[in-house]
Amino acid sequence: MPQEVERQYKAILRNYLEQQNELNLYEGQTFSKQLIQKNISPEEMIGIHRAALEEVVSDIPEKIEHSFDLLIEVMVRYGLALHEHQNLIQKQENFRIEMDLAANVQRTLLKTTVPQVQGLDIGMLSVPAKEMNGDYVHFLSDSQSVGIGVADVIGKGIPAALCMSMIKNGMDSVDGAHVDPAIVLDVINRIVERSVTDSMFVSMIYGSYDATTHTFTYASAGHEPALHYSLQEGTFHELFIKGLLLGVLPQTTYQSQTVRLEIGDFVVLMTDGVTECRSQDGFIEMEKVMKIIEDVKTESAQEMVEYVYKELILLQDFELRDDFTLVIVKRAV
Amino acid sequence: MNISVDLQREENKVVGFIEGEIDAFTAPMLREKLAEITLGDSKEIVLDLSEVSYMDSTGLGVFVGFFKNVKSENAKLKLTGLSSRLKRLFDITGLGEIMDIESSTGEVK
């Protein structure tokens, strides 16, 4: 390999010494790309130049010859720096591979399945705006109740991803899906508050549906309020409840409220990717979003969430600015 | 999209006028600019948000972080001139209860 490089360089040098034009000079530039690819250090290159020069030019003054020895010494550190740089690039690539692996593990760990509970129809859709989803949905369930947590982690990268694991652990550590949502949020807040940095926090809504009493009990940690649609009245009610974001203050307590669902009623849980949509003419008002949901109120919950997503992405010219998460819990019988 | 912070020192307080949209793109710039504020003898910082046309949760994160910092230095932070949209954001997140916020005047909630 080095012999091939030497041979090529000799030809380039000979051409240039014969005729100093742009084209011959450019040959040198192209050649340097090859040198980098083949890991040839700057001092090695000077050696190659010297050998080529000795063959091409017969009468090199002795002093010029000696000057190459000095130049090689001077270039040695550049060679080392280059080598270090290449090592770093390799390391960075390794990190990237590890990150991808970690992200995959994370995705597998955080995977949740929509539970099947008699008399209840649940639809869920969570679409990330970028590669990593900042929204997180986790379900708990037993024979007659379902716990639904919808969270929006504000913050980026690995800390945010780890935060989701904390939320999952917090939810899993409580004693089942029927536990008071206020207690669930208390628990998660204590876990999250200890671990997050100053500019990172989480908004979360947690609701527990009891299929025997047909009641939905909910608590919010600074999250977008859920909506209750009453089929009989044909209207939405905002289920606003006070509660501070998770991870801001350690001594926060949450409260919960309960709403009863009649047949055909449903509850909508969402993140700000749904409520803060912007089209070219400004914000898409919440009334508009409600109208879209109402249009498909008789469809299955899964069809509903998919329809709403399609309509909203259309209104936003197919550009999703924020992670989009929508969960609909509908009382079927 | 851009964000500007214009600082004025008044007696015992620092007043900042923020103008622009605060989203994932501009939030880091805002965070940097706020971090540059030195309190000196002032014990209060007032940030006027009346020229903030949009803010998402990333922007909220900047103010939460800043609020914690200011508090740890025993100073006060006040946010003024919040539009109804911004006010709603602070209300929903519960931050309106722990932070000193003021809607823009004459606005009907």
Side-chain angles (χ1 to χ4, degrees):
Chain A
M1 193 78 88
Q3 280 166 350
E4 171 62 17
V5 172
E6 279 164 25
R7 198 187 56 74
Q8 277 183 31
Y9 184 70
K10 215 189 317 175
I12 294 170
L13 183 67
R14 183 172 280 130
N15 284 345
Y16 187 70
L17 291 184
E18 270 168 24
Q19 204 171 13
Q20 290 95 52
N21 61 23
E22 282 288 321
L23 186 73
N24 288 339
L25 202 57
Y26 180 71
E27 289 276 313
Q29 218 185 84
T30 328
F31 184 71
S32 77
K33 280 182 203 152
Q34 217 191 109
L35 292 175
I36 292 165
Q37 264 174 14
K38 289 183 178 159
N39 255 337
I40 291 171
S41 67
E43 69 271 20
E44 275 180 277
M45 183 53 220
I46 292 163
I48 293 170
H49 177 75
R50 182 187 188 170
L53 197 66
E54 277 166 359
E55 283 193 43
V56 176
V57 184
S58 49
D59 50 346
I60 307 168
E62 204 181 332
K63 282 186 177 167
I64 301 247
E65 279 268 15
H66 291 321
S67 83
F68 284 116
D69 292 329
L70 181 67
L71 187 57
I72 286 173
E73 273 316 298
V74 171
M75 293 314 277
V76 165
R77 282 209 171 267
Y78 278 100
L80 290 175
L82 178 75
H83 190 63
E84 241 168 72
H85 173 76
Q86 280 161 338
N87 275 346
L88 282 177
I89 287 178
Q90 183 58 43
K91 267 189 198 154
Q92 202 175 25
E93 177 61 16
N94 290 346
F95 275 135
R96 201 189 58 75
I97 293 169
E98 277 182 27
M99 278 283 289
D100 284 351
L101 272 173
N104 263 326
V105 171
Q106 175 83 358
R107 262 193 287 277
T108 316
L109 278 177
L110 294 180
K111 214 169 182 180
T112 190
T113 44
V114 179
Q116 303 284 331
V117 173
Q118 185 108 46
L120 206 57
D121 178 16
I122 303 173
M124 190 267 277
L125 185 67
S126 186
V127 185
K130 296 200 187 79
E131 205 179 319
M132 284 277 264
N133 198 341
D135 288 358
Y136 178 55
V137 183
H138 187 54
F139 292 98
L140 297 178
S141 70
D142 52 43
S143 58
Q144 49 207 4
S145 52
V146 182
I148 307 140
V150 174
D152 183 355
V153 179
I154 293 105
K156 282 195 176 59
I158 299 174
L162 291 176
C163 198
M164 289 186 195
S165 297
M166 289 182 227
I167 295 167
K168 181 189 156 71
N169 289 341
M171 276 176 74
D172 287 340
S173 70
V174 298
D175 192 23
H178 56 274
V179 172
D180 183 354
I183 292 170
V184 178
L185 291 185
D186 283 347
V187 169
I188 298 175
N189 183 53
R190 279 198 296 272
I191 301 174
V192 171
E193 208 280 333
R194 269 193 305 235
S195 330
V196 298
T197 54
D198 272 355
S199 56
M200 202 177 118
F201 54 81
V202 182
S203 79
M204 177 169 175
I205 185 162
Y206 182 80
S208 170
Y209 185 86
D210 186 326
T212 52
T213 57
H214 309 293
T215 50
F216 181 75
T217 306
Y218 55 95
S220 168
H223 197 82
E224 198 60 47
L227 300 172
H228 167 223
Y229 182 77
S230 161
L231 184 66
Q232 203 189 349
E233 294 172 28
T235 49
F236 282 96
H237 299 278
E238 191 178 73
L239 303 178
F240 180 80
I241 185 159
K242 270 200 222 171
L244 184 65
L245 294 163
L246 299 169
V248 179
L249 291 177
Q251 295 90 8
T252 308
T253 50
Y254 295 93
Q255 39 188 294
S256 56
Q257 274 172 12
T258 300
V259 63
R260 191 183 143 83
L261 267 66
E262 303 302 330
I263 293 170
D265 282 12
F266 55 86
V267 171
V268 184
L269 306 175
M270 58 211 158
T271 57
D272 54 7
V274 179
T275 54
E276 294 276 298
C277 288
R278 286 196 289 178
S279 67
Q280 290 211 307
D281 328 310
F283 287 98
I284 299 168
E285 291 301 327
M286 204 48 219
E287 285 71 31
K288 174 83 186 157
V289 180
M290 290 179 190
K291 173 79 175 50
I292 294 169
I293 300 174
E294 200 179 7
D295 284 346
V296 285
K297 65 184 180 211
T298 54
E299 306 288 328
S300 78
Q302 190 58 38
E303 280 166 334
M304 287 173 77
V305 294
E306 277 163 21
Y307 176 80
V308 174
Y309 174 70
K310 261 184 245 157
E311 287 296 305
L312 285 179
I313 195 100
L314 193 72
L315 285 171
Q316 295 176 91
D317 292 325
F318 300 95
E319 190 198 351
L320 198 60
R321 285 166 192 258
D322 202 351
D323 303 330
F324 176 104
T325 297
L326 185 62
V327 178
I328 290 183
V329 180
K330 196 180 195 178
R331 181 181 165 193
V333 287
Chain B
M1 269 184 286
N2 221 327
I3 187 97
S4 72
V5 182
D6 184 22
L7 288 179
Q8 280 175 16
R9 265 175 207 286
E10 289 177 16
E11 204 185 334
N12 292 328
K13 66 177 175 183
V14 180
V15 183
F17 296 90
I18 301 175
E19 193 177 340
E21 293 191 355
I22 313 172
D23 56 16
F25 181 70
T26 59
M29 295 183 236
L30 177 64
R31 184 175 297 130
E32 251 171 57
K33 283 177 181 163
L34 291 180
E36 284 166 15
I37 298 179
T38 46
L39 275 168
D41 294 332
S42 322
K43 280 285 157 220
E44 190 182 5
I45 297 180
V46 180
L47 296 177
D48 186 327
L49 306 184
S50 48
E51 295 302 321
V52 174
S53 50
Y54 173 80
M55 177 158 96
D56 68 5
S57 42
T58 335
L60 213 53
V62 176
F63 288 108
V64 174
F66 188 61
F67 168 69
K68 284 186 177 177
N69 284 342
V70 172
K71 222 174 106 182
S72 71
E73 288 186 50
N74 291 318
K76 281 192 289 185
L77 172 68
K78 185 174 184 162
L79 304 177
T80 62
L82 273 67
S83 68
S84 58
R85 227 167 222 289
L86 258 62
K87 174 80 166 53
R88 181 176 182 270
L89 202 55
F90 279 89
D91 284 340
I92 286 176
T93 52
L95 292 172
E97 298 220 341
I98 60 165
M99 289 167 80
D100 190 2
I101 59 165
E102 200 177 274
S103 319
S104 47
T105 45
E107 185 152 2
V108 186
K109 214 210 134 185

